Amino acid sequence: MDPIFDRVLLTNDDGIAAPGLAVLEQVAVSLAREVWVVAPAHDQSGTSHSLSLHAPLRIETLGERRFSVQGTPADCVVLGVRHLMRDASPDMILSGVNRGANLGVETVFSGTVGAAMTGLLLGVPSIALSQAFEDRDAVPWPTASALAGPVIRRLACPGRTRSGWSGSACLNVNFPACAPDAAGPLTVTRQGEGLLDGIEILSRADPRTLDYHWLQISRRLRRDAADSEAAALDNRAIAVTPLRFERTDDAVLELLREAVRA
């Protein structure tokens, strides 16, 4: 199929050597005439939209239009758009493919989604892509590999992208944990609550008896809204959710206004 973009920028939060990024690169070559990769040198999961404001950013050239950055996914997007591709901005930013789904509340912490949100901030249409799994040692990468291209083509709306969804939102796409031929249709969803249940602390002592601590995220299945991302994935559908920066709770806003007026 013919390319639909002149150039795309790829990034992720799992790092430059992640298998999901390799999947996305294979998909992108059929979508764009130029594929640029600017990704973190190391795993940056959980960094959300974080920018490195107190440390220099170092770039390593790994090949033609391929770079690793000692920084966050958001740093990579800014460096890609404002520095490495400053002479010709990308038509689309694709972030992923993340190892594991990004659903509900968890999208607030996701570096994969954070990269796409940074693209939105810079005025570039952006899509985050994630592959759900049931077994950490057997991620169904063939699903994202087979379905990401058609999904992106359908969502990109060639010729209409900048006047469509991209001006006010980025897209969060999640592929179900099943074989490609078992995946359901592309389904437009809302964020919902997702699976995130809490964050705990695991404390240990090193060989010198000095304390150290790990953050441990807990997840659990819960009854989510019927039109949520989690519900779609539970039905083996491909979920796509438009996300924006505006997060005001309208109901609480009205309660506070009434309280202030009282």
Side-chain angles (χ1 to χ4, degrees):
M1 298 180 74
D2 292 335
I4 58 174
F5 305 118
D6 286 329
R7 60 193 60 81
V8 294
L9 171 60
L10 310 187
T11 192
N12 70 348
D13 73 355
D14 290 332
I16 190 74
L21 182 60
V23 168
L24 190 57
E25 288 183 73
Q26 293 172 358
V27 169
V29 296
S30 68
L31 298 173
R33 294 177 179 85
E34 286 185 11
V35 176
W36 293 68
V37 178
V38 185
H42 307 290
D43 193 328
Q44 293 286 325
S45 299
T47 55
S48 187
H49 320 82
S50 175
L51 293 170
S52 300
L53 301 179
H54 304 288
L57 297 174
R58 304 189 186 279
I59 303 173
E60 182 179 0
T61 302
L62 302 178
E64 185 179 11
R65 298 192 291 270
R66 183 176 174 82
F67 308 88
S68 70
V69 176
Q70 296 287 342
T72 68
D75 293 333
C76 292
V77 170
V78 177
L79 280 171
V81 175
R82 294 289 189 251
H83 178 61
L84 295 168
M85 302 178 72
R86 61 185 178 274
D87 294 330
S89 184
D91 303 308
M92 176 72 70
I93 294 171
L94 300 174
S95 178
V97 175
N98 189 66
R99 183 174 180 265
N102 275 304
L103 307 173
V105 176
E106 207 158 343
T107 59
V108 175
F109 302 97
S110 165
T112 304
V113 174
M117 296 293 283
T118 305
L120 172 63
L121 180 66
L122 299 180
V124 181
S126 301
I127 302 176
L129 304 110
S130 301
Q131 176 61 62
F133 61 79
E134 295 176 350
D135 181 351
R136 294 184 64 86
D137 297 322
V139 180
W141 293 120
T143 300
S145 179
L147 301 178
V151 164
I152 294 167
R153 285 179 180 273
R154 188 170 180 185
L155 295 175
C157 305
R160 296 189 291 115
T161 299
R162 291 188 182 276
S163 60
W165 53 264
S166 66
S168 59
C170 66
L171 302 183
N172 183 37
V173 174
N174 282 278
F175 297 102
C178 62
D181 57 1
L186 180 62
T187 303
V188 179
T189 55
R190 64 172 56 253
Q191 178 181 292
E193 294 186 25
L195 308 178
L196 182 64
D197 190 42
I199 305 175
E200 303 297 333
I201 302 294
L202 288 180
S203 299
R204 298 285 187 270
D206 67 18
R208 298 185 178 183
T209 70
L210 298 175
D211 292 336
Y212 65 94
H213 312 276
W214 284 100
L215 299 183
Q216 183 178 50
I217 292 177
S218 59
R219 300 177 178 87
R220 67 179 175 87
L221 294 174
R222 67 179 77 193
R223 193 177 190 85
D224 213 336
D227 59 349
S228 69
E229 301 163 325
L233 252 64
D234 193 45
N235 290 322
R236 293 189 169 184
I238 305 166
V240 54
T241 306
L243 300 177
R244 61 181 183 175
F245 286 106
E246 169 63 66
R247 292 186 290 175
T248 304
D249 187 313
D250 291 329
V252 174
L253 178 68
E254 290 305 316
L255 287 174
L256 290 174
R257 282 175 173 167
E258 291 177 9
V260 170
R261 286 194 297 264

